[in-house]
Amino acid sequence: MEAGSLNDLWGASAQDLMVVGEYGTILRWSGGAWASLDSGTAQTLDAVYFGTGWALACGWSGEMRRWAGTSWAAVNSQTSEFLEDMWGSGDNVWAVGYGGAIIRSSDGGASWTPVGVSPSYNLNAVWGVPPDGPLFAAGYNGAILRNAGAGWLPMTSN
């Protein structure tokens, strides 16, 4: 199995893991060996996230892929920005990336809605407190944003 750089790992359990990376690489661990899955894209994938019965992978140029148990399919992320990380609770999933990209899905990644944030932020990470927040995003130049229901507001990182 040939793979380039691997960028993220997520698992539903110790026997069910996925890794994503360069050239659309998606590898799955099912307890015995790593197997390559056909992502259907050559775009670099930077993040992977599992829900219940589905998984998502996202990356360069707004690439978003959804797996529902048998194959990966393209999903319109509503952005062309590089997507760097995902986090979710239940069917609610957030993805963040360059150019202030923050997108949200409330249906397990089947559809996405952009959330307006200043393009001066390049965001690399997102995390929240399930099920209703607050949510945090972090990125370049010490950027930290917080959403406690009133929108994404900058915080200071001294």
Side-chain angles (χ1 to χ4, degrees):
M1 158 182 27
E2 185 76 26
S5 176
L6 299 174
N7 299 327
D8 196 26
L9 168 73
W10 191 274
S13 71
Q15 303 304 313
D16 193 6
L17 306 169
M18 286 190 195
V19 174
V20 298
E22 288 183 316
Y23 317 115
T25 298
I26 300 179
L27 306 175
R28 185 169 189 192
W29 174 262
S30 55
W34 288 99
S36 181
L37 300 179
D38 181 6
S39 67
T41 185
Q43 287 283 4
T44 291
L45 299 170
D46 285 326
V48 61
Y49 178 81
F50 271 43
T52 303
W54 51 269
L56 299 167
C58 66
W60 290 14
S61 302
E63 187 71 35
M64 182 68 68
R65 312 300 288 182
R66 188 172 192 275
W67 179 79
T70 56
S71 64
W72 290 90
V75 176
N76 186 346
S77 70
Q78 305 295 324
T79 185
S80 60
E81 297 290 348
F82 286 23
L83 296 171
E84 293 294 309
D85 195 24
M86 287 185 282
W87 177 86
S89 176
D91 283 344
N92 295 304
V93 184
W94 297 82
V96 299
Y98 291 7
I102 298 180
I103 59 175
R104 180 181 186 193
S105 174
S106 59
D107 58 9
S111 63
W112 292 88
T113 302
V115 177
V117 173
S118 170
S120 63
Y121 296 108
N122 282 332
L123 302 170
N124 296 324
V126 62
W127 181 83
V129 178
D132 297 319
L135 298 164
F136 298 88
Y140 286 32
N141 299 318
I144 301 174
L145 304 175
R146 182 177 190 254
N147 184 330
W152 291 91
L153 302 172
M155 300 175 75
T156 60
S157 61
N158 296 331

